[in-house]
């Protein structure tokens, strides 16, 4: 029996009395992945990206482990909710236009102490001030650095379009503007190198593309390390008591952590290890989050139909954004139908051994987005479900 076949047997036994669709997290794999992130961080704390987890119970579990500290959130409403739930170090990774949220933040000293917001434009400060509604708490601010690699005099760009602040001079000028402005305090710098941390460099069947990605990432890491160090030095001239410099993501933890200028790294997807994180040479993890769909039809030889399945991930549309049939091994989509909203045909020899009501296990393309489809996660240890915990959705929250 292969390791994957053994996992399927465990998951089927653990959920034998549960009807699919359902989602699980294998805690043995989750904990092993957490240990690996800490190992790769080399002694620097790992801030957990909540968008890749979207479950309070699992955020609490990982933050209770040595080597993890703080949350990187994705909306202001989520940040305030987590702070009220007892989390006390929350970095909002994206600028917000949530006026009601800013009013709450500026009026509550406990929230203002727990949450740091992201800024890359003085106009965002204007929006915050206009939203205060009388609240006069100092708002903690993090500046975001654009990490993109610019080639050929800036005519070619590699990396996400995030912050407009690319140079040390640009980000230092914004830091000075904030330092002169009452009601705000710069406490950190964030630089997320998504073109390194979130792009696999060993895509099966594409050796030339994979080599090109590795060459790009090597150049990008070298350029960013030098520029990030210069940025931090420039900002520290304005803000000597800067609290943190955050960088990286699951795919770049060990490289980012090695930079002297970086004080902490961020990671989240590496806990669940969705399918997009199979294609890296720098690390390998264990799939921890899966979902099961029930077989409801057997339309012919070598074919079954499961209920649901159309759970595409965000990003540029493509086959790599679809969940992948994982267990039993050897199933594939019908190219004429793909993953359907209500039903999904699957083809392959294993289909002939599946009966009505059997479970087919899938891996989502991305991590936390799976939790937007399910109210709860069944936590599996060995071959038993040992707990059931709500996702954000299960607690009544869909923040985006």
């Amino acid at each position: 029996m292969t390791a994957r076949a053994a996992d399927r047997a465990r998951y089927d036994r653990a959920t034998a009395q549960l009807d699919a669709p359902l989602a699980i997290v294998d805690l043995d794999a989750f904990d092993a992945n957490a240990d690996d992130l800490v190992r790769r961080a080399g002694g620097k704390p790992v801030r957990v990206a909540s968008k890749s987890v979207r479950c309070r119970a699992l955020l609490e579990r990982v933050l209770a482990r040595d080597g993890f500290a703080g949350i990187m959130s994705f909306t202001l409403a989520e940040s305030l909710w987590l702070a009220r739930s007892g989390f006390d170090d929350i970095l909002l990774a994206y600028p917000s236009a949530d006026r009601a949220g800013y009013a709450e933040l500026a009026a509550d000293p406990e929230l203002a102490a727990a949450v740091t917001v992201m800024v890359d434009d003085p106009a965002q400060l204007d929006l915050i001030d206009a939203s205060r509604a009388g609240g006069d708490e100092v708002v903690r601010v993090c500046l975001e650095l654009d990490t993109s690699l610019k080639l050929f005099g800036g005519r070619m760009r590699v990396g996400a379009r995030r912050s407009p602040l690319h140079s040390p001079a640009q980000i230092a000028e914004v830091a000075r503007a904030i330092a002169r402005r009452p009601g705000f305090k710069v406490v950190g710098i964030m630089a997320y190198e998504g073109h390194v941390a979130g792009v696999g460099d060993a895509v099966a069947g594409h050796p030339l593309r994979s080599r090109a990605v590795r060459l790009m990432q090597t150049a990008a890491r070298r350029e960013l390390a030098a520029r990030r160090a210069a940025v931090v030095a420039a900002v520290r001239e304005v803000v000597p008591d800067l609290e943190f410099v955050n960088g990286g993501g699951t795919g770049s933890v060990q490289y980012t952590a090695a930079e002297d200028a970086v004080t902490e790294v961020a990671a989240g997807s590496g806990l669940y290890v969705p399918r997009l994180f199979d294609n890296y040479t720098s690390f390998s993890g264990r799939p921890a989050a899966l979902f099961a769909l029930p077989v409801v039809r057997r339309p012919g030889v070598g074919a079954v139909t499961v209920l649901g399945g159309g759970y595409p991930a965000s990003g540029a549309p493509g086959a790599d954004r679809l969940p992948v049939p994982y267990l039993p091994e050897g199933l594939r989509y019908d190219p004429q139908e793909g993953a359907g909203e209500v039903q999904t045909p699957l083809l392959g020899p294993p289909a002939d051994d599946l009966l009505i009501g059997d479970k087919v296990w899938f891996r989502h393309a991305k991590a936390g987005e799976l939790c937007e489809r399910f109210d709860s996660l069944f936590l599996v240890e060995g071959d038993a479900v040992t707990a059931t915990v709500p996702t954000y959705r299960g607690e009544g929250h869909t923040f985006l």
Side-chain angles (χ1 to χ4, degrees):
M1 180 182 290
T2 66
R4 279 174 61 174
D7 283 341
R8 180 195 175 199
R10 286 196 303 115
Y11 301 150
D12 282 347
R13 286 195 298 270
T15 63
Q17 304 306 313
L18 301 173
D19 289 333
L22 59 83
I24 66 167
V25 170
D26 183 334
L27 289 181
D28 293 336
F30 182 91
D31 290 344
N33 293 334
D35 287 342
D36 188 59
L37 287 171
V38 170
R39 177 191 63 80
R40 290 199 286 135
K44 292 186 177 177
V46 179
R47 186 180 290 272
V48 183
S50 63
K51 79 177 183 68
S52 299
V53 179
R54 303 193 201 200
C55 171
R56 279 200 302 166
L58 290 175
L59 289 173
E60 290 168 354
R61 182 184 184 91
V62 71
L63 285 170
R65 304 175 70 87
D66 290 340
F68 290 87
I71 288 175
M72 178 175 283
S73 59
F74 61 98
T75 74
L76 182 54
E78 178 211 16
S79 305
L80 300 178
W81 176 64
L82 290 174
R84 292 193 185 95
S85 301
F87 297 96
D88 61 2
D89 179 7
I90 302 160
L91 170 62
L92 175 57
Y94 306 88
S96 176
D98 181 353
R99 292 177 172 82
Y102 282 132
E104 292 180 43
L105 181 69
D108 188 317
E110 292 186 0
L111 293 179
V115 176
T116 300
V117 303
M118 193 64 59
V119 168
D120 58 33
D121 187 324
Q124 294 154 352
L125 305 177
D126 296 337
L127 186 146
I128 295 171
D129 272 339
S131 305
R132 285 180 179 271
D136 59 2
E137 293 298 322
V138 172
V139 175
R140 292 166 53 86
V141 168
C142 178
L143 301 175
E144 180 168 4
L145 171 68
D146 170 36
T147 65
S148 63
L149 176 64
K150 295 185 177 181
L151 303 171
F152 308 112
R155 293 189 298 276
M156 179 179 178
R157 173 194 183 104
V158 180
R161 294 184 180 276
R162 292 176 62 110
S163 171
L165 306 177
H166 189 81
S167 70
Q170 288 175 315
I171 201 165
E173 179 55 35
V174 174
R176 279 190 289 272
I178 296 172
R180 294 191 295 264
R181 188 160 182 161
F184 297 93
K185 181 182 180 182
V186 175
V187 298
I189 299 170
M190 186 190 82
Y192 172 59
E193 52 266 49
H195 49 303
V196 178
V199 178
D201 64 346
V203 182
H206 297 277
L208 294 179
R209 174 185 167 190
S210 298
R211 177 170 172 75
V213 169
R214 287 194 291 273
L215 291 172
M216 176 275 292
Q217 290 180 340
T218 298
R221 289 198 304 267
R222 185 181 302 115
E223 185 275 338
L224 179 59
R227 182 158 53 89
R228 181 155 39 201
V231 161
V232 172
V235 172
R236 286 195 185 277
E237 289 185 3
V238 182
V239 188
D241 58 344
L242 198 68
E243 295 177 17
F244 65 85
V245 177
N246 179 280
T250 288
S252 69
V253 165
Q254 64 270 42
Y255 303 117
T256 307
E259 295 180 31
D260 291 338
V262 172
T263 65
E264 63 176 40
V265 291
S269 296
L271 296 168
Y272 287 170
V273 186
R275 65 168 293 197
L276 284 178
F277 285 83
D278 287 347
N279 304 320
Y280 287 79
T281 57
S282 60
F283 79 102
S284 62
R286 293 172 54 184
L290 302 95
F291 66 94
L293 301 177
V295 174
V296 292
R297 285 178 170 159
R298 291 169 49 88
V301 175
V304 293
T305 302
V306 295
L307 184 68
Y311 306 160
S314 59
D320 65 342
R321 299 290 142 168
L322 295 178
V324 61
Y326 185 60
L327 301 170
E329 298 179 64
L331 292 173
R332 65 184 186 278
Y333 290 119
D334 182 334
Q336 296 185 61
E337 297 194 48
E341 177 188 7
V342 177
Q343 69 169 32
T344 297
L346 298 171
L347 309 178
D352 294 329
D353 296 323
L354 290 169
L355 305 177
I356 300 296
D358 283 352
K359 295 180 177 75
V360 175
W361 296 90
F362 291 76
R363 293 172 64 201
H364 203 276
K366 298 184 75 172
E369 291 182 21
L370 167 66
C371 295
E372 298 299 333
R373 299 287 182 168
F374 293 92
D375 291 339
S376 59
L377 298 171
F378 295 98
L379 306 185
V380 173
E381 295 182 80
D383 60 358
V385 171
T386 56
T388 306
V389 295
T391 61
Y392 281 10
R393 168 177 158 164
E395 297 198 69
H397 294 288
T398 50
F399 293 108
L400 276 180

